[in-house]
């Protein structure tokens, strides 16, 4: 929805130039400052500056969008990798809500994956009934996600009745279409990864006692030989349809190297897939309809969660299904990009609209694992770095295409420099009562900062770099939106951070603290410098909402920006520069509520302690 102050695009460039020339002539006639056009380095006089909102119209799936995270195993407490998966989906979803604010337009699901051998074994090892373990760990995920500001609209547990109904219905569809048969399935099974492995993906390695044991080459987890009569899905029939789907939709899997990888996998043979286990071996799961001696394979069970959430098998699910975007880690790519689309096609549905894939977090250069004792607890991180600080760190530093390394000093350094010093410092500089004694959004003076670059005169104060800043800021919302569309949230944050640096440079260059509100020469320019910086801050606050919601709220509230003025549909940067009225000009700033983001390095005692232990 657009606000009432929708601004038209700036009129034709030629007209803008004519107006500027007329203004110059008028100034001449008035015997005031003479302004002349100069050619300044760093920009071309034919460059067009524009500022406009990002409405809903740039998305093929405008009406609705459905985002999902993977559902999380409940064999162990959540770690930062799990939180990262959820945060990526959350940021995508929040950015989308800024573009399409209607509450009914976006759904976002997460949840816990509670069946299977892995959970059955973990419960036994903990001396608990599986339901007890599931309740306990699922509650930990729910609490973590609430604390971390994950804005999901649904949380699903695969032990819920609604899910069993959906899975058994889905099974019935595959059966009815002749895609399931009973046969002897023999091969290596990895309980930790809940998957079958071909001989080529298994190696023998010494266990802690020196005995040689078979392990998965990919994950390093132990595997065991399994030979059972199971239900088998005719996966091999789907090789070509999957290849066609991926070739016709080159953007389905993002980033591109993962798309390529799936196509490579599909070059190889695609054997049929066992989709059930003997119930005597695996009792913790959903029984095969009509055959109580078999339990449905946990991955089939888990993948159907995406349908359960939107009401499958009731027909209403269809309007959401076509808009589905899955966020997943690279380790579960095969399940989502091969098994899942094949199962969906088999059950008469379309494959997902998008699959966004991310890489993993390592810790001080090592894979995170319980046995290495290096699992990073996200709750401690949220406490130490604040919710917004830790969200910012993970999303700013996490690069979906490759693994990223975690260590505490890195968090402190990033947050201190980008949130506390650069952004917080900028806000402080523009709102402190010494510089802005009236506590308002000052007026922008078009004579000091004419929209046509290259004019000089005694009242023209803007320099070439200032036009570069305006240009960078005007294109920032679109740039950020493009990075979100490409699942490069870290690049969106990098772009914001770079503009924050540029804005600090602008303030530094014009040193408003040296200008005097009492002087008729200084005052219009001092107001203009603050106005431009506050406009930049307003754009930063708006664009940071998906990543640091509370910090952005604090920033926008301090600027006096109301809740209805925070969407991307309302985001016009520096309208006065483009000849339009600015609704903020002259408005009182919001109340002062302390530092935007306090520096962390003063409270580093825990950091030193943590390293000694
Ligand atoms: N239960 C399955 C998913 C079923 S979805 C139908 C599963 N669960 S998981 O708990 O093991 O992983 C959930 C998500 O966390 C996955 O996207 C996985 O990639 C992610 N991560 C697990 N470890 C991770 C890191 N070290 N770093 C980043 N993400 C990681 O798989």
């Amino acid at each position: 929805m657009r606000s009432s102050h929708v601004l038209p695009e700036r009129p034709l460039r030629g007209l803008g130039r004519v107006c500027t020339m007329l203004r110059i002539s008028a100034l001449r006639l008035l015997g005031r400052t003479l302004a002349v056009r100069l050619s300044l380095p760093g920009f071309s006089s034919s460059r067009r500056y524009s500022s406009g909102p990002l409405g809903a119209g740039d998305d093929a799936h405008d009406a609705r969008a459905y985002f999902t995270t993977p559902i999380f195993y409940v064999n162990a407490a959540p770690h930062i990798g799990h939180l990262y998966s959820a945060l990526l989906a959350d940021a995508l979803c929040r950015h989308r809500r800024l573009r399409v604010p209607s509450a009914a337009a976006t759904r976002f699901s997460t949840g816990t994956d509670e069946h299977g051998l892995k959970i059955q074994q973990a419960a036994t090892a903990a001396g608990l009934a599986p339901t007890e373990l599931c309740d306990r760990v699922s509650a930990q995920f729910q609490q973590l996600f609430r604390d971390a500001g994950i804005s999901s609209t649904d949380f699903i547990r695969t032990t819920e009745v609604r899910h069993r109904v959906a899975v058994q219905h889905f099974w019935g569809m595959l059966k009815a279409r002749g895609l399931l048969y009973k046969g002897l399935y023999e091969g290596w099974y990895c309980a930790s990864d809940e998957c079958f492995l071909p001989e080529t993906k298994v190696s023998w390695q010494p266990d802690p006692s020196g005995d040689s044991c078979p392990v998965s080459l990919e994950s390093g987890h132990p595997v065991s030989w399994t030979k059972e009569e199971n239900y088998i899905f005719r996966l091999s029939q789907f090789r070509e349809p999957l290849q066609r789907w991926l070739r016709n939709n080159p953007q389905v899997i993002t980033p591109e190297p993962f798309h390529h990888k799936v196509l490579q996998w599909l070059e190889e043979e695609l054997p049929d897939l066992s989709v059930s286990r003997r119930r005597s071996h695996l009792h913790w799961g959903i029984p095969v309809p009509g055959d109580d001696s078999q339990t449905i394979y946990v991955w089939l069970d888990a993948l159907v969660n995406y349908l359960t959430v939107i009401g499958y098998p009731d027909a209403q699910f269809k309007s959401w299904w076509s808009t589905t975007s899955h966020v997943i880690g690279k380790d579960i790519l095969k399940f989502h990009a091969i098994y899942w689309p094949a199962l969906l096609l088999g059950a008469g549905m379309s494959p997902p609209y998008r699959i966004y894939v991310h890489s993993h977090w390592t810790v001080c250069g090592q894979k995170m694992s319980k046995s290495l004792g290096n699992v990073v607890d996200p709750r401690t991180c949220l406490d130490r770095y604040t919710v917004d600080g830790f969200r910012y760190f993970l999303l700013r530093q996490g690069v979906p295409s490759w693994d990223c390394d975690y260590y505490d000093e890195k968090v402190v350094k990033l947050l201190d420099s980008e949130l506390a010093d650069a952004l917080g410092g900028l806000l402080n500089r523009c709102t402190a009562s010494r510089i802005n004694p009236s506590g308002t959004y000052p007026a922008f003076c078009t004579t000091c900062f004419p929209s046509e670059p290259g004019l000089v005169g005694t009242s023209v104060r803007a320099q070439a770099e200032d036009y570069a800043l305006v240009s960078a800021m005007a294109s920032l919302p679109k740039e950020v939106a493009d990075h979100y569309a490409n699942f490069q949230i870290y690049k969106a944050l990098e772009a914001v951070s770079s503009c924050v640096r540029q804005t600090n440079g602008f303030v530094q260059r014009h040193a408003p603290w040296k200008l005097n509100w009492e002087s008729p020469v200084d005052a219009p320019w001092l107001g203009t410098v603050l106005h431009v910086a506050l406009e930049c801050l307003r754009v930063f606050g708006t664009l940071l909402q998906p990543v640091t919601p509370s910090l952005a709220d604090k920033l926008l509230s301090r600027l006096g920006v109301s809740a209805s003025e925070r969407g991307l549909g309302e985001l016009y940067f520096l309208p006065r520069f483009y000849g339009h009225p600015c609704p903020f000009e002259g408005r009182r700033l919001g109340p002062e509520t302390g530092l935007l983001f306090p520096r962390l390095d003063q409270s580093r005692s825990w950091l030193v302690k943590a390293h000694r232990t």
Side-chain angles (χ1 to χ4, degrees):
M1 224 168 283
R2 308 270 170 97
S3 76
S4 53
H5 63 274
V6 171
L7 305 175
E9 267 274 312
R10 212 188 138 146
L12 292 174
R13 164 148 187 96
L15 193 54
R17 186 173 293 166
V18 171
C19 291
T20 308
M21 298 314 283
L22 286 175
R23 203 165 53 231
I24 294 167
S25 314
L27 290 175
R28 280 200 185 115
L29 281 174
L30 286 168
R32 301 240 322 262
T33 315
L34 278 186
V36 288
R37 187 192 303 272
L38 274 191
S39 157
L40 293 171
F43 63 87
S44 123
S45 64
S46 64
R47 186 126 127 217
R48 183 168 184 205
Y49 297 96
S50 67
S51 166
L54 285 170
D58 54 349
D59 192 331
H61 284 258
D62 276 340
R64 289 182 162 187
Y66 173 39
F67 294 93
T68 72
T69 73
I71 48 171
F72 300 90
Y73 285 131
V74 289
N75 61 309
H79 59 58
I80 57 165
H82 301 136
L83 180 59
Y84 181 57
S85 263
L87 277 178
L88 285 166
D90 185 56
L92 287 182
C93 193
R94 284 177 183 266
H95 186 263
R96 149 96 191 172
R97 288 193 196 114
L98 284 183
R99 283 193 297 125
V100 186
S102 147
T106 305
R107 275 182 98 151
F108 171 23
S109 83
T110 185
T112 40
D113 188 354
E114 306 189 2
H115 288 138
L117 199 56
K118 183 181 175 103
I119 309 304
Q120 186 175 302
Q121 290 174 347
T124 309
L128 296 172
T131 44
E132 269 180 279
L133 178 72
C134 293
D135 288 350
R136 191 179 288 183
V137 183
S138 180
Q140 290 177 10
F141 274 99
Q142 291 180 52
Q143 187 61 47
L144 171 69
F145 291 168
R146 265 194 300 274
D147 293 347
I150 302 297
S151 61
S152 50
T153 55
D154 294 272
F155 190 97
I156 181 166
R157 299 183 58 185
T158 54
T159 43
E160 289 174 57
V161 175
R162 62 169 173 157
H163 182 62
R164 193 185 62 224
V165 171
V167 172
Q168 292 189 329
H169 185 89
F170 190 85
W171 181 278
M173 296 303 288
L174 298 177
K175 186 101 200 292
R177 291 165 159 253
L179 293 167
L180 300 178
Y181 64 94
K182 228 170 170 185
L184 189 69
Y185 203 92
E186 197 172 358
W188 293 106
Y189 192 77
C190 176
S192 296
D193 304 339
E194 293 283 18
C195 68
F196 285 97
L197 293 167
E199 194 69 53
T200 50
K201 295 280 159 63
V202 172
S203 78
W204 290 79
Q205 278 170 22
D207 70 4
S209 59
D211 295 337
S212 184
C213 287
V215 296
S216 158
L217 262 179
E218 241 167 60
S219 67
H221 295 136
V223 299
S224 58
W225 187 255
T226 308
K227 185 176 177 182
E228 283 186 8
E229 185 163 64
N230 293 154
Y231 286 93
I232 298 175
F233 171 62
R234 296 187 191 281
L235 180 63
S236 54
Q237 286 189 5
F238 292 89
R239 196 166 141 222
E240 280 171 24
L242 289 176
Q243 285 174 330
R244 263 200 308 280
W245 166 60
L246 291 173
R247 293 214 170 100
N248 292 340
N249 299 280
Q251 288 190 322
V252 167
I253 303 173
T254 307
E256 199 284 327
F258 293 112
H259 191 95
H260 183 73
K261 191 166 181 180
V262 177
L263 277 170
Q264 263 180 342
W265 284 333
L266 288 169
E267 294 289 303
E268 295 164 20
E269 206 198 337
L270 189 61
D272 287 350
L273 178 71
S274 165
V275 285
S276 73
R277 306 302 305 274
R278 240 185 322 116
R279 200 147 182 88
S280 56
H281 179 64
L282 173 67
H283 62 82
W284 186 238
I286 299 175
V288 166
D291 184 352
D292 279 355
S293 71
Q294 295 272 320
T295 301
I296 294 176
Y297 175 41
V298 65
W299 265 103
L300 192 157
D301 170 340
L303 288 161
V304 173
N305 94 82
Y306 301 130
L307 294 173
T308 308
V309 165
I310 48 173
Y312 179 86
D314 290 350
Q316 62 183 41
F317 86 92
K318 289 186 184 145
S319 59
W320 287 102
W321 181 247
S322 56
T323 71
T324 304
S325 296
H326 296 312
V327 171
I328 59 161
K330 63 179 185 179
D331 54 322
I332 53 176
L333 178 59
K334 194 173 276 173
F335 301 96
H336 283 81
I338 294 185
Y339 299 170
W340 183 223
L343 288 164
L344 285 163
L345 289 171
M349 284 174 253
S350 53
Y353 169 58
R354 286 265 188 285
I355 302 176
Y356 295 114
V357 190
H358 66 80
S359 298
H360 281 186
W361 282 91
T362 55
V363 175
C364 300
Q366 283 183 305
K367 194 175 162 171
M368 229 187 315
S369 89
K370 255 201 297 190
S371 52
L372 287 173
N374 65 350
V375 174
V376 180
D377 175 6
R379 305 209 39 108
T380 312
C381 297
L382 294 175
D383 287 349
R384 277 182 187 166
Y385 306 120
T386 74
V387 171
D388 288 275
F390 199 55
R391 286 176 63 107
Y392 185 82
F393 170 78
L394 287 180
L395 293 171
R396 168 83 167 92
Q397 291 286 308
V399 178
S401 303
W402 56 82
D403 288 353
C404 303
D405 198 33
Y406 177 90
Y407 52 95
D408 291 315
E409 286 91 339
K410 202 179 196 175
V411 191
V412 174
K413 214 169 149 194
L414 180 85
L415 300 185
D416 277 354
S417 80
E418 294 196 355
L419 294 187
D421 296 347
L423 188 64
L426 180 63
L427 177 67
N428 198 34
R429 280 168 139 186
C430 306
T431 53
S433 55
R434 252 177 316 109
I435 283 186
N436 189 344
S438 64
T440 55
Y441 221 94
F444 178 85
C445 165
T446 49
T447 318
C448 301
F449 203 148
S451 60
E452 193 68 17
L455 301 177
V456 290
T458 50
S459 53
V460 175
R461 307 286 283 267
Q463 303 169 8
E465 294 101 311
D466 306 335
Y467 287 91
L469 170 69
V470 170
S471 172
M473 286 302 302
S475 55
L476 185 63
K478 169 81 169 66
E479 193 184 337
V480 164
D482 289 346
H483 290 317
Y484 270 86
N486 295 326
F487 196 47
Q488 292 180 315
I489 299 171
Y490 73 102
K491 280 201 180 170
L493 293 175
E494 203 170 279
V496 171
S497 174
S498 150
C499 280
V500 172
R501 271 198 306 278
Q502 242 176 301
T503 312
N504 269 315
F506 167 81
V507 173
Q508 194 65 34
R509 200 159 49 245
H510 299 299
W513 47 90
K514 290 190 187 155
L515 300 172
N516 182 358
W517 281 111
E518 305 302 321
S519 145
V521 178
D522 281 359
W525 177 233
L526 173 50
T528 301
V529 171
L530 294 184
H531 181 104
V532 170
L534 291 174
E535 278 291 280
C536 294
L537 279 161
R538 185 171 64 83
V539 171
F540 302 144
T542 306
L543 295 177
L544 283 173
Q545 291 176 99
V547 174
T548 54
S550 306
L551 179 138
D553 173 48
K554 193 169 177 185
L555 171 52
L556 292 170
S557 299
R558 179 73 176 113
L559 300 182
V561 179
S562 70
S564 62
E565 294 167 327
R566 297 177 180 190
L568 292 175
E570 289 74 43
L571 191 56
Y572 294 92
F573 170 67
L574 206 58
R576 296 278 284 108
F577 177 83
Y578 299 97
H580 300 294
C582 170
F584 304 97
E585 201 169 69
R587 202 186 273 190
R588 277 212 76 71
L589 296 178
E592 154 79 81
T593 50
L595 289 179
L596 184 67
F597 190 88
R599 282 183 70 83
L600 293 159
D601 70 357
Q602 288 144 6
S603 53
R604 288 179 80 173
S605 51
W606 49 264
L607 189 62
V608 179
K609 245 185 277 153
H611 272 261
R612 273 202 220 107
T613 50

